[in-house]
Amino acid sequence: MDAVTSAPARIILICSGKGGVGKTTLTANLGIALARLGERTVVLDADFGLRNLDLLLGLENRIVYTAQEVLAETCRLEQALVKHKLEPNLALLPAGNPRMLEWLTPEDMQRIVAMVAERADFVLIDCPAGIEDGFKNAAAAAREAIVITTPEVSAVRDADRVIGLLNTRGVAPVQLVLNRVRPRMMASQEMLGVNDVTDILALPLVGLVVEDEQVIVSTNRGEPLTLNGNGSPAAKAYQNIARRLRGEDIPVEDPSKARRGLRARLMNKIRKTTGLF
Amino acid sequence: MTLFDFIQRLLGRQKPSGTMAKERLQLVLAHDRSDLNPELLEQMRREILEVVQRYVEIDIEEGDVSLETEDRVTALVANLPIKRARPLPALVAAAAAVGMAQAPDPEAQQELALPLACEPAEDPSPADPD
Ligand SMILES: Nc1ncnc2c1ncn2[C@@H]1O[C@H](COP(=O)(O)OP(=O)(O)OP(=O)(O)O)[C@@H](O)[C@H]1O
Ligand SMILES: [Mg+2]
């Protein structure tokens, strides 16, 4: 961990506008996935009102200090950072008391993120829902952003609002993750299509996550899907997002256009193994 | 999709809901992005028509001013069918009224597309409840 050779950290805000669309799940899974790829990663819970990132990572019982004590200088940053047992490249900086919201300023956020960034390759900031102070504080500290949305009118509308605010704040690049995609509904046009959403929001798609029951199972356990090489569709999607963030060129597949059925799968297999057709 | 929906779609009576979602979003976002509500838009439409009428005779009933959005750029698109240009003296008077140096070409373009700021301005005031 020598600070001498390392490039400046990527500081990425994970935000959505609308609540409950998958920010915290993405932050936890992406954090683990990046760490597994060898990146020193810190995930920062900026949702001080309703903190949950600790729970999704299974670290809730190991919190001693939080961002609050670090800011008050009653503890050192190292004391507050919670390292993941199975993935030591990942550390969580827990959110403090909800009353932090009353006094926290954008400068406080910038200060704490700058401290964290000194020792990391990636800093992921789990943003609260909404576009009020919590969002503004978090956005002030971020360089780039991932906006996550589901293919639903209200989520897309709120995402658009957030994208506008990020643009005026000079946060760039801003990339999109489309979450909870139901391929069958999309194929029958009973859900906004992948291109509909990317056209409307005019953002590059950095990932697509299908609706996947395994997400709930992993949340119950406090073990993100990316932790154990789980082969579920969502796990693969989160891993791919991590690799794309590092610059790998992995095309995003539209699952509503994937050919289904035994014959199609067989043809696909033949095509892949032989390079024919 | 229920059987009823399916039949409605087969008969071409109902659009798939995904398509409706896209159309509704495009409309609502055009307004969100420009921060103009329908009332303000209507007021602006009337004022634009008023100004244009000083220069050319237009068909008020056919005149259409609307917001369109593509690639995060919202444009104010006015489609104003021109009946005929006003006589020159009237034009000069009108130009003077709006502080222009000279009267514009009466063969002016019929369609005006004015790109608006793509993003809503930074929150106008902290007190704004929005
Ligand atoms: N791809 C998915 N498939 C199935 N369930 C999902 C998926 N992504 C998220 N969920 C579920 O959606 C719920 C909300 O997820 P999450 O807490 O990550 O959202 P959030 O945006 O952080 O919410 P908040 O705005 O409250 O912070 C959770 O119950 C989670 O398990
Ligand atoms: Mg959350």
Side-chain angles (χ1 to χ4, degrees):
Chain A
M1 283 215 183
D2 51 328
V4 193
T5 50
S6 55
R10 302 264 304 267
I11 303 170
I12 308 176
L13 181 72
I14 314 278
C15 58
S16 66
K18 186 172 161 62
V21 296
K23 294 178 291 296
T24 306
T25 310
L26 174 65
T27 309
N29 279 285
L30 198 53
I32 297 273
L34 284 166
R36 281 171 63 94
L37 291 167
E39 306 284 2
R40 297 168 307 161
T41 306
V42 176
V43 289
L44 196 152
D45 193 347
D47 195 348
F48 299 104
L50 300 161
R51 62 186 212 189
N52 270 327
L53 189 55
D54 52 349
L55 207 52
L56 262 64
L57 285 165
L59 298 175
E60 69 275 17
N61 292 325
R62 297 187 34 219
I63 295 173
V64 184
Y65 297 110
T66 70
Q68 189 173 352
E69 287 79 34
V70 178
L71 276 171
E73 293 177 12
T74 51
C75 83
R76 283 175 295 115
L77 178 61
E78 296 76 40
Q79 293 174 291
L81 286 174
V82 187
K83 247 192 200 163
H84 199 281
K85 264 187 293 215
L86 301 173
E87 199 40 72
N89 272 333
L90 182 85
L92 163 75
L93 182 60
N97 189 299
R99 259 175 297 158
M100 273 180 88
L101 289 172
E102 290 163 18
W103 52 263
L104 195 84
T105 65
E107 290 73 34
D108 289 330
M109 272 309 272
Q110 284 166 344
R111 195 150 65 87
I112 203 139
V113 168
M115 286 168 76
V116 168
E118 268 176 39
R119 56 182 59 242
D121 302 312
F122 279 86
V123 179
L124 306 180
I125 307 174
D126 182 19
C127 189
I131 50 174
E132 293 81 29
D133 288 351
F135 164 77
K136 286 173 189 163
N137 290 341
R143 275 202 206 110
E144 49 187 300
I146 293 178
V147 173
I148 179 166
T149 184
T150 59
E152 289 170 86
V153 283
S154 53
V156 174
R157 184 190 197 177
D158 293 355
D160 189 76
R161 192 65 200 275
V162 161
I163 294 164
L165 294 172
L166 291 171
N167 286 349
T168 53
R169 283 174 159 70
V171 177
V174 179
Q175 303 184 82
L176 186 71
V177 166
L178 190 55
N179 191 26
R180 307 196 77 154
V181 168
R182 295 160 183 259
R184 293 248 301 272
M185 285 189 80
M186 244 185 210
S188 64
Q189 290 181 289
E190 296 295 353
M191 185 171 244
L192 283 164
V194 178
N195 291 337
D196 291 342
V197 179
T198 53
D199 284 355
I200 288 171
L201 297 178
L203 287 187
L205 192 64
V206 71
L208 186 153
V209 188
V210 293
E211 176 80 26
D212 185 344
E213 288 177 1
Q214 288 300 312
V215 171
I216 296 166
V217 174
S218 77
T219 308
N220 293 341
R221 296 211 168 103
E223 296 168 1
L225 286 176
T226 43
L227 194 57
N228 47 14
N230 179 308
S232 80
K236 282 188 202 146
Y238 291 125
Q239 278 151 9
N240 281 338
I241 296 170
R243 291 168 60 185
R244 289 188 194 105
L245 280 180
R246 295 172 85 228
E248 269 186 70
D249 182 21
I250 306 166
V252 184
E253 265 174 50
D254 182 342
S256 69
K257 301 223 165 84
R259 287 204 292 167
R260 239 181 278 277
L262 194 60
R263 218 165 89 184
R265 287 217 303 273
L266 215 79
M267 290 298 284
N268 253 332
K269 188 131 212 168
I270 294 171
R271 191 184 308 125
K272 271 190 192 143
T273 47
T274 63
L276 287 175
F277 313 117
Chain B
M1 187 164 39
T2 63
L3 183 64
F4 179 74
D5 286 341
F6 181 70
I7 292 168
Q8 292 278 309
R9 262 175 72 174
L10 267 188
L11 297 173
R13 286 204 189 125
Q14 196 182 37
K15 283 182 199 163
S17 70
T19 312
M20 285 172 69
K22 182 176 189 186
E23 291 170 1
R24 291 177 61 218
L25 264 172
Q26 279 170 327
L27 214 71
V28 77
L29 289 185
H31 287 103
D32 283 359
R33 286 172 184 173
S34 63
D35 261 352
L36 280 179
N37 58 37
E39 234 169 87
L40 272 178
L41 187 66
E42 177 54 30
Q43 188 185 334
M44 180 166 71
R45 192 184 78 91
R46 264 185 275 119
E47 286 179 22
I48 287 175
L49 291 183
E50 233 173 74
V51 171
V52 174
Q53 261 189 316
R54 289 193 209 135
Y55 296 86
V56 288
E57 251 179 75
I58 49 177
D59 194 336
I60 295 271
E61 297 310 307
E62 297 291 307
D64 176 41
V65 177
S66 62
L67 292 171
E68 287 174 19
T69 298
E70 218 178 287
D71 278 348
R72 294 200 67 73
V73 179
T74 297
L76 178 69
V77 178
N79 200 332
L80 311 173
I82 296 177
K83 282 187 189 157
R84 71 174 85 85
R86 299 250 181 238
L88 204 59
L91 265 181
V92 175
V98 290
M100 284 172 77
Q102 61 191 118
D105 180 5
E107 306 279 310
Q109 272 181 304
Q110 297 209 357
E111 180 150 308
L112 311 162
L114 314 170
L116 294 179
C118 338
E119 307 303 343
E122 188 73 277
D123 314 351
S125 75
D128 190 1
D130 206 21

